[in-house]
Amino acid sequence: MAMKRAASSAVRSLLTAPTPNPSSSIFSRNLHASGGKKKIVGVFYKANEYAALNPNFVGCVEGALGIREWLEAQGHEYIVTDDKEGLDSELEKHIPDLHVLISTPFHPAYVTAERIKKAKNLELLLTAGIGSDHIDLNAAAAAGLTVAEVTGSNTVSVAEDELMRILILVRNFLPGYHQAITGEWNVAGIAHRAYDLEGKTIGTVGAGRIGKLLLQRLKPFNCNLLYHDRLKMEPELEKEIGAKFEEDLDAMLPKCDVIVINTPLTDKTRGLFDKNRIAKLKKGVLIVNNARGAIMDTQAVADACSSGHIAGYSGDVWFPQPAPKDHPWRYMPNHAMTPHISGTTIDAQLRYAAGVKDMLERHFKGEDFPEQNYIVKEGQLASQYR
Ligand SMILES: NC(=O)c1ccc[n+]([C@@H]2O[C@H](COP(=O)([O-])OP(=O)(O)OC[C@H]3O[C@@H](n4cnc5c(N)ncnc54)[C@H](O)[C@@H]3O)[C@@H](O)[C@H]2O)c1
């Protein structure tokens, strides 16, 4: 394998010379074509008593993405576990000889530079879902590994969930629900800070696949829609969605009643919402973050929720995951947090399981993946991760 990596790296240096179309060249195919029986390890969350309740529940350890028979019939070895942390974990045991690692953002296998160094046979890292920040992408690129995810597999699932979270926060829904289950009846306790969504300014930081779907879904609510992104949309699409581009993030944020985060976690977005940036937001701002927990400074969010500067914070992403029992966001006031669930609806699971199977099939045949799935290809990170 060391030889194979050396070969990959030689191929990459060849590819740095201008070629007409490197991605379709024979070199990229060679990177995939290692043949033979593979050891594939999947890291997913365990479903226990829930596993048998739905035949389409494929995203868990027990469901194993529904690809066990298919893989084993071809002679491949398929190991599935939820035990991913530390040197004694099941995952760690298989690191030295696995060929393919499949993981999911809902129960991320953190693939550090140390693990990559130990994984002498590793060729391919697949994310069953979207968001591969649990992998040290620079280390993966340097080692000649391919990293790919099932782009688009759960964008609808997340956009719908964000819309729900916006409404939950704006209408101050959760205190009302708690009153219902604790036997209270105190309309004032809810009504003093419940609003209509209509007329409010909502800004999304990131308007890629999820951000655009969210904006489209918000349009009928008659809000003032803003977006900040590296890229401006085509004027026609912008007009159809009805959102205004804000090139300067710090000019957009103080205008927003509701901020939604829709960028990946990269070196540029890690800790983007720190104490200083949060201090410049409107007092009483609501924040929805289903992108990644580490885009926020954890303690700065908890402090701003305690002071009331942030009037409500909702999302399903934390750092690390699973969130420890003492994570400050579990205890801060005015939150509507959940475990990481928005992108793992049954519909989403079926889509990302099919996407993983498709990429494995292509990998075994030495074929390229759909271009938009690559996060690391031939030593290059996808543009938004650079
Ligand atoms: N909670 C969940 O279950 C779940 C599910 C899917 C995706 N996600 C997260 O949502 C993220 C976005 O998903 P997507 O499918 O919309 O991805 P996408 O690639 O289609 O869109 C990301 C957008 O962010 C923009 N962007 C990147 N870096 C930026 C920066 N520094 N400043 C401004 N804009 C920047 C990009 O230009 C792009 O338009 C994923 O990377 C993942 O972290 C979460």
Side-chain angles (χ1 to χ4, degrees):
M1 191 59 214
M3 272 175 64
K4 189 164 174 298
R5 282 194 188 170
S8 305
S9 133
V11 166
R12 277 201 314 281
S13 49
L14 274 176
L15 287 175
T16 52
T19 57
N21 184 2
S23 66
S24 67
S25 78
I26 191 161
F27 298 126
S28 57
R29 240 166 297 190
N30 285 348
L31 282 174
H32 290 292
S34 66
K37 305 299 175 206
K38 305 287 183 189
K39 178 168 185 175
I40 296 152
V41 174
V43 179
F44 310 113
Y45 53 83
K46 226 178 188 163
N48 301 312
E49 70 273 30
Y50 303 104
L53 298 183
N54 189 332
N56 290 328
F57 193 177
V58 292
C60 52
V61 164
E62 295 83 347
L65 298 183
I67 54 174
R68 179 176 294 288
E69 272 182 32
W70 174 73
L71 282 173
E72 289 178 351
Q74 299 170 72
H76 301 302
E77 187 185 0
Y78 187 33
I79 287 148
V80 173
T81 181
D82 72 326
D83 184 17
K84 64 191 180 78
E85 305 295 343
L87 293 176
D88 294 334
S89 64
E90 181 72 8
L91 170 60
E92 196 73 30
K93 235 171 49 191
H94 299 290
I95 290 280
D97 64 344
L98 57 77
H99 296 95
V100 180
L101 176 60
I102 309 169
S103 183
T104 170
F106 313 103
H107 188 73
Y110 293 109
V111 183
T112 57
E114 292 74 43
R115 279 183 163 168
I116 287 174
K117 207 167 154 195
K118 267 197 204 170
K120 303 282 183 224
N121 287 350
L122 186 57
E123 300 162 1
L124 175 63
L125 291 153
L126 289 179
T127 300
I130 304 172
S132 301
D133 49 275
H134 54 282
I135 298 165
D136 184 327
L137 297 175
N138 289 310
L145 302 175
T146 299
V147 181
E149 53 191 45
V150 191
T151 299
S153 57
N154 51 19
T155 48
V156 165
S157 327
V158 178
E160 284 183 3
D161 180 282
E162 288 176 348
L163 184 58
M164 172 187 78
R165 286 175 200 271
I166 292 170
L167 286 165
I168 280 175
L169 292 180
V170 170
R171 307 306 295 249
N172 203 18
F173 176 82
L174 278 184
Y177 170 71
H178 287 136
Q179 284 188 22
I181 53 178
T182 57
E184 269 180 275
W185 186 275
N186 181 354
V187 173
I190 304 152
H192 75 283
R193 58 188 207 94
Y195 296 90
D196 295 341
L197 186 52
E198 184 167 88
K200 304 300 178 290
T201 296
I202 305 181
T204 174
V205 182
R209 293 173 182 83
I210 297 171
K212 285 193 189 89
L213 286 181
L214 175 68
L215 290 168
Q216 282 167 342
R217 278 152 182 70
L218 282 167
K219 197 178 177 192
F221 285 87
N222 297 326
C223 303
N224 177 28
L225 300 178
L226 308 176
Y227 76 96
H228 167 78
D229 199 286
R230 299 178 311 142
L231 312 166
K232 190 175 175 338
M233 289 178 211
E234 292 299 321
E236 259 178 41
L237 181 62
E238 207 175 67
K239 199 167 159 212
E240 182 201 312
I241 289 178
K244 186 173 163 286
F245 178 60
E246 296 270 347
E247 193 170 2
D248 180 353
L249 174 67
D250 289 314
M252 176 180 91
L253 292 177
K255 298 178 194 167
C256 298
D257 301 301
V258 182
I259 295 168
V260 189
I261 315 299
N262 280 309
T263 60
L265 175 63
T266 66
D267 291 346
K268 292 195 186 91
T269 62
R270 188 179 301 277
L272 186 66
F273 283 76
D274 58 7
K275 197 176 159 193
N276 290 337
R277 191 162 265 121
I278 290 173
K280 291 180 198 148
L281 306 180
K282 235 183 215 186
K283 187 162 168 23
V285 67
L286 305 173
I287 298 180
V288 170
N289 177 14
N290 279 0
R292 284 296 176 261
I295 295 173
M296 301 285 152
D297 176 324
T298 301
Q299 196 55 48
V301 168
D303 292 346
C305 281
S306 297
S307 75
H309 195 101
I310 296 177
Y313 184 94
S314 184
D316 69 339
V317 285
W318 310 64
F319 184 78
Q321 288 189 181
K325 290 236 158 56
D326 61 352
H327 195 292
W329 292 358
R330 290 184 187 270
Y331 305 101
M332 64 192 185
N334 302 319
H335 82 77
M337 292 297 296
T338 65
H340 195 162
I341 48 165
S342 65
T344 188
T345 59
I346 295 293
D347 306 276
Q349 291 175 43
L350 292 173
R351 288 189 293 262
Y352 61 68
V356 166
K357 187 178 178 199
D358 173 61
M359 286 194 281
L360 285 173
E361 199 159 26
R362 289 170 188 251
H363 181 67
F364 300 148
K365 289 186 194 158
E367 291 173 2
D368 273 356
F369 302 156
E371 200 54 39
Q372 73 272 11
N373 287 12
Y374 285 106
I375 301 302
V376 176
K377 184 185 184 188
E378 295 163 6
Q380 283 284 329
L381 270 63
S383 67
Q384 60 180 334
Y385 284 89
R386 278 178 224 150

